[in-house]
Coordinates of all heavy atoms in Angstrom, one line a residue:
H42 N -17.7 37.8 25.6 CA -16.3 38.0 26.0 C -15.5 36.7 25.6 O -15.9 35.5 25.8 CB -16.3 38.2 27.4 CG -14.9 38.2 27.9 ND1 -14.1 39.3 27.7 CD2 -14.2 37.3 28.7 CE1 -12.9 39.0 28.3 NE2 -13.0 37.8 28.9
T43 N -14.5 37.0 24.8 CA -13.5 35.9 24.4 C -12.6 35.6 25.6 O -12.1 36.7 26.1 CB -12.8 36.3 23.2 OG1 -13.7 36.5 22.1 CG2 -11.8 35.1 22.8
G44 N -12.4 34.4 26.0 CA -11.6 34.1 27.0 C -10.2 34.4 26.8 O -9.7 34.4 25.7
P45 N -9.4 34.4 27.9 CA -7.9 34.8 27.7 C -7.1 33.7 27.0 O -6.1 33.9 26.4 CB -7.5 35.1 29.2 CG -8.4 34.4 30.0 CD -9.7 34.4 29.3
G46 N -7.6 32.4 27.2 CA -6.8 31.3 26.6 C -7.1 31.4 25.0 O -6.0 31.3 24.3
E47 N -8.3 31.6 24.5 CA -8.4 31.7 23.1 C -7.8 33.1 22.7 O -7.2 33.0 21.6 CB -9.9 31.8 22.8 CG -10.2 31.8 21.2 CD -11.7 31.7 21.0 OE1 -12.6 31.4 21.8 OE2 -12.0 32.2 19.8
T48 N -7.8 34.1 23.4 CA -7.2 35.3 22.9 C -5.7 35.1 22.8 O -5.0 35.6 21.9 CB -7.5 36.5 24.1 OG1 -8.9 36.7 24.1 CG2 -6.8 37.7 23.6
A49 N -5.1 34.4 23.8 CA -3.7 34.0 23.7 C -3.3 33.3 22.4 O -2.3 33.5 21.8 CB -3.2 33.3 25.0
L50 N -4.2 32.3 22.1 CA -3.9 31.5 21.0 C -3.9 32.4 19.7 O -3.1 32.3 18.8 CB -4.9 30.4 20.8 CG -4.9 29.2 21.7 CD1 -6.0 28.2 21.4 CD2 -3.5 28.5 21.6
R51 N -4.9 33.2 19.7 CA -5.1 34.1 18.4 C -4.0 35.2 18.3 O -3.5 35.4 17.3 CB -6.5 34.8 18.5 CG -7.7 33.9 18.2 CD -9.0 34.6 18.2 NE -10.1 33.7 17.9 CZ -10.5 33.3 16.6 NH1 -9.8 33.6 15.6 NH2 -11.5 32.5 16.5
T52 N -3.5 35.6 19.4 CA -2.4 36.5 19.4 C -1.2 35.9 19.1 O -0.5 36.4 18.2 CB -2.3 37.2 20.9 OG1 -3.6 37.9 21.2 CG2 -1.2 38.2 20.9
A53 N -0.9 34.7 19.6 CA 0.4 34.1 19.3 C 0.5 33.5 17.9 O 1.5 33.5 17.3 CB 0.6 32.9 20.3
L54 N -0.7 33.1 17.4 CA -0.7 32.4 16.2 C -1.2 33.2 15.0 O -1.0 32.8 13.9 CB -1.5 31.1 16.2 CG -1.2 30.0 17.3 CD1 -2.1 28.9 17.3 CD2 0.3 29.6 17.1
G55 N -2.0 34.2 15.3 CA -2.6 35.0 14.3 C -3.8 34.2 13.7 O -4.0 33.1 14.1
N56 N -4.6 34.9 12.9 CA -5.7 34.2 12.4 C -5.6 33.1 11.5 O -6.2 32.0 11.7 CB -6.7 35.3 11.6 CG -7.4 36.3 12.5 OD1 -7.6 35.9 13.7 ND2 -7.6 37.5 12.0
D57 N -4.5 33.2 10.7 CA -4.2 32.0 9.8 C -3.5 30.9 10.6 O -4.1 29.7 10.3 CB -3.2 32.4 8.7 CG -3.8 33.3 7.7 OD1 -5.0 33.4 7.6 OD2 -3.1 34.0 7.0
G58 N -2.8 31.2 11.6 CA -2.2 30.1 12.5 C -3.3 29.4 13.3 O -3.3 28.3 13.6
Y59 N -4.3 30.2 13.8 CA -5.4 29.7 14.5 C -6.2 28.8 13.7 O -6.6 27.7 14.2 CB -6.2 30.8 15.1 CG -7.3 30.5 16.0 CD1 -7.1 30.2 17.3 CD2 -8.7 30.4 15.6 CE1 -8.2 29.8 18.2 CE2 -9.7 30.0 16.3 CZ -9.5 29.7 17.7 OH -10.4 29.4 18.6
A60 N -6.5 29.2 12.5 CA -7.2 28.3 11.6 C -6.4 26.9 11.3 O -6.9 25.8 11.3 CB -7.5 28.9 10.2
T61 N -5.1 27.1 11.2 CA -4.2 25.9 10.9 C -4.2 25.1 12.1 O -4.3 23.8 12.0 CB -2.7 26.4 10.7 OG1 -2.8 27.2 9.4 CG2 -1.8 25.2 10.5

Side-chain angles (χ1 to χ4, degrees):
H42 174 71
T43 300
E47 184 176 342
T48 299
L50 286 181
R51 288 184 181 276
T52 299
L54 304 176
N56 287 333
D57 291 341
Y59 185 79
T61 300

